[in-house]
Amino acid sequence: MSAVKIENISKSFDTVLALAQVSFDVLKGELFGLIGPDGAGKTTMFKILTTLLMPDQGKAYVEGFHTVKDYKKIRRIIGYMPGKFSLYQDLTVEENLNFFATIFNTSIKENYHLIADIYGQLEPFKKRRAGNLSGGMKQKLALSCALIHEPKVLFLDEPTTGVDAVSRAEFWEMLGRLKAKGITIVVSTPYMDEASLCERIALIQTGKILSIDTPEHITNAYHKPLYAVRSDDFFRLMKELRGQHFAERVEPFGEYLHLTTKDQITEHEIHQYIQSQGHSTIELSAIEATIEDVFLDLMQAN
Amino acid sequence: MMLRTFIAFVKKETFHILRDPRTLFILFGMPIALVFIFGYTITNEFTGASISVVDQSKDKLSQALIDHLVASGHFELINVSDDIVSLENDFKAGVVKMGVVISPLFEQHFYRDKKATVQIIADATEPNYAATLTNYATRMINAFQNTKSEISSIPYQLDIESRMYYNPKLIGAYNFVPGVVALILMLICAMMTSLTIAKEKEMGTMDLLLVSPLHPLLIILGKVTPYVILSFINAIIVLGIGYFVFTVPIKGSLVLLLLLVLLYLMVALALGILISTKANSQQTAMMSSLFILLLPTMLLSGFIFPIASMPVILQYISKIIPAKYFIIIEKAIMLKGASLDSVINPVIVLGIMLVILLAAALKNFKVIYK
């Protein structure tokens, strides 16, 4: 049985279509990622799955319970961490955790083993008010509060947005350990580089699912020729390549441009072209696609 | 389990209140400030009101009348002249609020023709004050006439003897203390409740509370209980200030009064919850509270303006203002020493309001958003 089952869910706000006929399953014990830019419909999906929002059409089940009819049962077995930091800023770290433990009829002591390695880092600051924590610590506290009642399914809406790179890496390590404890985790993120840390991902854009698979399968399915390229004049190179008929897409990826070609053109011919434009210190190599390449490609196709 | 959760909720809410100086000020600063503001500024009592007299007669009787007015201590004589123009100048300069014009040959007309004229002119740019002054002056002049008439004895005169029951000295505090209690309880209990629930929505914490096994009723009860207790304490503080500082009596049963304060609190609370179900931000909650609660409670409850002198449509609207009934109850118990029997009608009205508002609030409280 799936931990989460979504069948043809549609939801619109006024005239804006937030989700269009979305369907997917999340297996038990899986670390599942919902990957897409802001406004793709990720938060709406989370609100429906956490029983806060009614879908216009379609059905969704969490651990076999219907999100509208059995919402009370779902609310006992899930942990939810909203995208916006939603704890009591004027309560201390300890008071927040205590409060959420109590309303789920448990205590910090009882389930300390679940949050030990997360809350452990926060304990030196347990008398500090939540509003005065750094971004990374806020996320850890929010995760602790969502975990304290030992949920079967954990919903994390953009947990790493606004968090520094080190804390982000730490956070994903923690998710790995939670998964090892058998908790199903559904996480959303706008950062494509985090997609590869999930077991399976769904790429979502303007309310539509573009692709669902393991990150490897998704990147392997990209069959177009792809090159990483750079030269001494980065922006002129980008402009010139974008004007070429052989270039399907040219996107900046950090220090390199990712060039997808559509015509039969060899690496050598590309190099010659760039040289003929007067660039120096040219680097050019064929590469494997990343999730972001696939995402941009699927976006363009839609 | 329910009790433990409930206590945790009340504790959390108390922390919120204690850690926010603004909330604390609204809770305790405002009520006390309001009592004293109303106590010392909005009052119909007066002493030593400045007057100007135009004495066109200048005889013994006119002088006696002037002495009579001044001797009471209510009026202070600023100017005596024989020209009406000087009175007008005094009005324009704002030196006096009332003038008394005694017509020529006053004594002669009074005793011989049994008909003399005294004219009272008031500056009605402040209508209430002008009315109070002329009323008082008229009463004093009538009294003066009676004392002088005994000598000459005018036959067949209608003798009006008025007595002011329950508030013989016409002390303003007797009116405003019940009014302020009604206003403060409505404001604090309803506004603070709607604000605190709207805040949870605005901060996103309401979503977390909803995604928990908590019953919605428990969420609401846990949130409002501290405010009920604080409002109740406020009511006692205001009544205490009324009793000890402004000597407003509590003739009836204190227990009955406090029980009915609780009933009114519940009505205010239900209103606050209802507002919060509609308002998604603290700002909206605040504005709607001020509009729905503060203004009608002040203006249409009979606290400041008598309901009987309102336009008919406003009189009908005043019938749905809870404060109106609560003020009736308060005045009856405090000033008249009424028992429950005498105030049963307004009590029933408040009871019905409570049931309707609670039902509406619970119905509108969303556990799943559409």
Side-chain angles (χ1 to χ4, degrees):
Chain A
M1 193 183 78
S2 317
V4 176
K5 192 169 182 60
I6 298 162
E7 294 172 351
N8 288 316
I9 290 276
S10 293
K11 177 79 193 176
S12 42
F13 299 101
D14 296 327
T15 54
V16 183
L17 191 64
L19 291 173
Q21 301 243 308
V22 173
S23 301
F24 63 84
D25 283 18
V26 177
L27 303 177
K28 275 197 181 193
E30 198 171 32
L31 175 52
F32 188 92
L34 202 55
I35 319 288
D38 291 345
K42 302 189 298 290
T43 298
T44 307
M45 194 73 247
F46 273 89
K47 293 215 159 165
I48 288 173
L49 292 176
T50 53
T51 75
L52 285 168
L53 198 62
M54 259 186 238
D56 294 340
Q57 274 167 32
K59 292 179 209 146
Y61 301 88
V62 176
E63 290 285 317
F65 297 120
H66 191 278
T67 53
V68 179
K69 284 183 214 142
D70 300 322
Y71 75 92
K72 282 184 185 162
K73 285 176 185 150
I74 295 179
R75 287 176 180 187
R76 286 174 191 281
I77 56 166
I78 60 168
Y80 174 42
M81 182 172 158
K84 204 180 82 181
F85 179 67
S86 301
L87 296 177
Y88 298 104
Q89 315 244 7
D90 53 347
L91 297 191
T92 65
V93 169
E94 199 180 21
E95 284 162 358
N96 265 300
L97 190 58
N98 246 325
F99 175 71
F100 284 101
T102 312
I103 65 174
F104 277 96
N105 197 27
T106 177
S107 64
I108 298 183
K109 218 169 139 189
E110 200 175 322
N111 281 333
Y112 191 80
H113 63 279
L114 275 169
I115 55 164
D117 65 328
I118 306 165
Y119 187 61
Q121 302 175 35
L122 280 173
E123 264 186 319
F125 312 101
K126 67 181 181 186
K127 298 283 176 208
R128 191 182 285 190
R129 302 222 179 140
N132 297 335
L133 293 175
S134 69
M137 290 205 279
K138 277 182 181 167
Q139 302 305 73
K140 280 172 198 153
L141 177 59
L143 182 61
S144 302
C145 290
L147 266 177
I148 191 67
H149 58 287
E150 200 171 5
K152 290 200 169 101
V153 187
L154 199 52
F155 292 97
L156 310 173
D157 191 5
E158 299 202 12
T160 53
T161 300
V163 175
D164 66 89
V166 178
S167 298
R168 272 171 60 185
E170 263 179 25
F171 198 86
W172 279 95
E173 272 172 42
M174 285 172 202
L175 294 191
R177 286 198 288 273
L178 289 175
K179 188 194 126 50
K181 287 178 178 147
I183 299 174
T184 309
I185 303 170
V186 183
V187 59
S188 74
T189 176
Y191 302 121
M192 303 286 164
D193 56 328
E194 291 180 343
S196 58
L197 303 167
C198 303
E199 282 176 283
R200 279 201 314 140
I201 54 172
L203 301 182
I204 183 169
Q205 158 78 6
T206 56
K208 291 190 196 90
I209 299 285
L210 304 176
S211 173
I212 302 175
D213 213 327
T214 63
E216 296 76 35
H217 285 164
I218 285 182
T219 50
N220 289 345
Y222 192 81
H223 293 304
K224 294 171 186 167
L226 182 70
Y227 302 91
V229 54
R230 70 190 274 188
S231 78
D232 60 336
D233 194 344
F234 190 82
F235 290 101
R236 184 163 65 89
L237 180 65
M238 183 164 80
K239 247 170 80 182
E240 283 164 0
L241 286 174
R242 277 185 174 165
Q244 289 307 307
H245 60 87
F246 60 79
E248 180 172 323
R249 200 175 50 251
V250 182
E251 297 289 346
F253 271 68
E255 296 178 316
Y256 289 87
L257 290 172
H258 280 196
L259 165 68
T260 306
T261 58
K262 55 184 171 194
D263 298 336
Q264 289 299 320
I265 183 168
T266 63
E267 192 175 336
H268 183 67
E269 283 165 339
I270 299 171
H271 199 277
Q272 271 183 337
Y273 165 76
I274 298 172
Q275 240 172 0
S276 72
Q277 296 298 316
H279 291 272
S280 58
T281 59
I282 300 164
E283 285 180 45
L284 178 70
S285 55
I287 52 163
E288 294 288 316
T290 66
I291 297 288
E292 193 164 354
D293 292 305
V294 179
F295 193 91
L296 292 169
D297 186 57
L298 291 170
M299 243 175 82
Q300 211 172 40
N302 272 273
Chain B
M1 176 230 164
M2 289 277 274
L3 189 67
R4 207 169 74 102
T5 325
F6 180 70
I7 291 169
F9 235 112
V10 173
K11 224 169 97 184
K12 163 189 97 78
E13 210 55 39
T14 312
F15 283 144
H16 289 324
I17 296 168
L18 292 180
R19 286 173 191 179
D20 183 13
R22 203 182 50 174
T23 311
L24 268 181
F25 174 75
I26 295 180
L27 276 176
F28 289 105
M30 198 175 68
I32 295 169
L34 269 183
V35 186
F36 285 104
I37 288 170
F38 279 106
Y40 288 115
T41 59
I42 302 182
T43 170
N44 288 329
E45 299 161 50
F46 67 93
T47 49
S50 308
I51 60 166
S52 194
V53 173
V54 181
D55 186 356
Q56 296 167 333
S57 181
K58 294 217 188 311
D59 49 35
K60 248 165 64 192
L61 191 65
S62 73
Q63 189 54 50
L65 175 59
I66 297 170
D67 290 344
H68 177 75
L69 287 176
V70 175
S72 68
H74 288 289
F75 299 110
E76 194 183 325
L77 195 56
I78 295 294
N79 193 5
V80 182
S81 70
D82 52 6
D83 190 357
I84 192 93
V85 176
S86 107
L87 172 63
E88 220 176 309
N89 289 336
D90 286 345
F91 274 144
K92 280 179 183 158
V95 193
V96 298
K97 290 292 173 196
M98 190 184 77
V100 178
V101 183
I102 303 171
S103 55
L105 304 173
F106 184 59
E107 188 165 4
Q108 200 180 332
H109 284 305
F110 187 82
Y111 287 118
R112 209 180 58 198
D113 308 338
K114 307 260 187 272
K115 188 174 173 21
T117 311
V118 177
Q119 191 181 16
I120 299 171
I121 304 172
D123 173 0
T125 50
E126 286 173 58
N128 283 336
Y129 194 51
T132 312
L133 287 186
T134 48
N135 265 334
Y136 208 82
T138 311
R139 285 226 306 272
M140 291 193 68
I141 293 168
N142 280 338
F144 175 78
Q145 176 188 329
N146 287 343
T147 55
K148 296 298 168 191
S149 309
E150 272 168 18
I151 311 160
S152 62
S153 89
I154 301 169
Y156 312 119
Q157 86 175 347
L158 194 57
D159 201 10
I160 299 172
E161 186 187 320
S162 60
R163 281 188 62 195
M164 295 297 176
Y165 260 43
Y166 309 123
N167 185 2
K169 292 180 186 161
L170 298 179
I171 298 170
Y174 284 26
N175 179 45
F176 84 78
V177 167
V180 168
V181 174
L183 182 66
I184 286 171
L185 292 189
M186 183 52 80
L187 219 52
I188 288 182
C189 214
M191 187 171 83
M192 297 308 268
T193 306
S194 69
L195 275 181
T196 176
I197 297 179
K199 187 177 180 186
E200 297 258 3
K201 285 195 198 173
E202 199 177 313
M203 302 300 287
T205 42
M206 185 55 95
D207 285 359
L208 287 185
L209 296 181
L210 287 176
V211 183
S212 77
L214 289 180
H215 193 278
L217 201 62
L218 195 72
I219 298 179
I220 292 182
L221 277 183
K223 283 203 74 70
V224 301
T225 304
Y227 288 96
V228 176
I229 295 168
L230 288 172
S231 305
F232 196 67
I233 293 173
N234 260 315
I236 293 172
I237 291 176
V238 175
L239 287 174
I241 295 176
Y243 186 80
F244 291 109
V245 181
F246 296 103
T247 62
V248 180
I250 298 175
K251 287 187 183 154
S253 152
L254 184 63
V255 176
L256 177 65
L257 180 64
L258 292 181
L259 278 177
L260 294 178
V261 163
L262 263 183
L263 172 67
Y264 178 69
L265 272 183
M266 299 289 168
V267 175
L269 213 61
L271 245 177
I273 296 170
L274 185 61
I275 290 174
S276 72
T277 60
K278 296 287 177 196
N280 286 320
S281 72
Q282 295 184 79
Q283 181 136 24
T284 327
M286 180 81 139
M287 293 317 287
S288 11
S289 294
L290 289 181
F291 213 75
I292 299 172
L293 306 174
L294 181 64
L295 291 179
T297 303
M298 275 187 55
L299 304 179
L300 297 178
S301 65
F303 165 30
I304 294 182
F305 304 113
I307 293 172
S309 58
M310 289 176 193
V312 182
I313 177 130
L314 289 185
Q315 290 194 26
Y316 276 108
I317 295 176
S318 79
K319 285 188 199 299
I320 57 164
I321 309 289
K324 175 195 159 173
Y325 300 96
F326 182 60
I327 291 176
I328 293 174
I329 293 171
E330 276 184 292
K331 283 187 179 168
I333 295 176
M334 290 166 69
L335 307 181
K336 302 180 191 169
S339 63
L340 182 61
D341 290 351
S342 336
V343 292
I344 195 71
N345 284 335
V347 169
I348 288 173
V349 175
L350 281 182
I352 293 171
M353 283 180 169
L354 175 62
V355 172
I356 294 174
L357 287 171
L358 262 188
L362 283 179
K363 192 169 173 290
N364 277 300
F365 188 83
K366 299 255 182 333
V367 283
I368 304 180
Y369 301 105
K370 278 225 178 345

